[in-house]
Amino acid sequence: KFCKLYTSWLNELSKHVKITLHHINSANHGELRPHNSTRGEFPAEDMERLIEFYVKDVLSNNERIYVERHEKGQAIFKLAGFDVIGLHGHQIKNNKTALKDLSFLHKKFFSAVFMGHFHHGSALTVGEYTGHNMEVIQVPSVMGSDEYADQLMVGAKAGASLHIFEEGTGRTVGYNIILK
């Protein structure tokens, strides 16, 4: 159901804008754990891989959508001239140091990191650089709260976010959208 909804939404959105979709193929929420295995025991067994292939196949005839595959669970790309990184976020232990840690890991200066995983959205400024802030941007869950999120007390309404980046300035506007 999710794949059908997702591709339908992307096709509709593409009528108004061109889309580059950066798909992350690794997330703990889609990880399969066969035969009583533990987290991370079968990293290649992830439903995100199926979602990725379904989305790429269904959208293959839409010339206004380009699906960028990222094999290692992290998307590194430019956004309005800034180097940014996107990942699911389950690997992150400290949001305040995530941008620095990822920059050190990749030996590349990132201006922003986009991630999900935490069930709710936020934007955290963790530093500044000439002319722009350095930010950790958590995108909300499109599914909203569930029993697990509520148990951890991190639940939120189903949501999405829109962030506007400008050349030379970075992220200038962020919108939080409650999905109904």
Side-chain angles (χ1 to χ4, degrees):
K1 286 182 180 180
F2 172 76
C3 289
K4 286 182 178 183
L5 174 67
Y6 192 41
T7 53
S8 174
W9 174 72
L10 287 167
N11 271 319
E12 189 63 32
L13 183 62
S14 74
K15 293 176 184 176
H16 308 282
V17 296
K18 288 185 179 181
I19 299 169
T20 300
L21 176 66
H22 294 276
H23 188 88
I24 307 298
N25 65 5
S26 173
N28 70 319
H29 296 278
E31 186 180 291
L32 299 180
R33 298 180 186 156
H35 310 294
N36 295 323
S37 56
T38 59
R39 177 179 29 187
E41 197 169 340
F42 293 98
E45 301 300 322
D46 197 313
M47 293 302 290
E48 288 301 323
R49 292 177 184 274
L50 293 176
I51 294 169
E52 173 184 34
F53 288 116
Y54 180 93
V55 168
K56 190 164 176 96
D57 185 48
V58 169
L59 299 176
S60 64
N61 293 327
N62 187 329
E63 294 178 4
R64 294 181 57 84
I65 301 176
Y66 174 71
V67 180
E68 176 93 23
R69 295 181 63 226
H70 299 280
E71 285 295 324
K72 302 200 188 283
Q74 297 181 356
I76 296 173
F77 56 98
K78 286 206 179 280
L79 187 58
F82 294 96
D83 288 312
V84 300
I85 185 168
L87 63 157
H88 177 70
H90 61 290
Q91 315 91 320
I92 301 301
K93 302 299 178 212
N94 183 341
N95 284 2
K96 290 182 180 179
T97 64
L99 197 56
K100 175 182 65 77
D101 295 342
L102 289 164
S103 292
F104 284 172
L105 176 68
H106 292 282
K107 296 172 183 58
K108 183 179 187 81
F109 179 79
F110 296 111
S111 295
V113 58
F114 286 91
M115 62 184 166
H117 180 66
F118 295 96
H119 299 268
H120 59 276
S122 71
L124 176 66
T125 300
V126 295
E128 64 177 315
Y129 194 68
T130 307
H132 70 280
N133 285 330
M134 298 163 47
E135 297 182 287
V136 175
I137 300 165
Q138 287 178 200
V139 297
S141 166
V142 297
M143 302 305 290
S145 290
D146 59 16
E147 288 180 17
Y148 181 70
D150 289 343
Q151 185 180 23
L152 296 176
M153 293 184 273
V154 295
K157 297 290 185 197
S161 59
L162 172 68
H163 301 276
I164 298 172
F165 278 68
E166 295 181 23
E167 298 271 344
T169 310
R171 190 176 78 93
T172 56
V173 178
Y175 294 99
N176 292 317
I177 303 162
I178 301 290
L179 302 175
K180 296 181 181 186

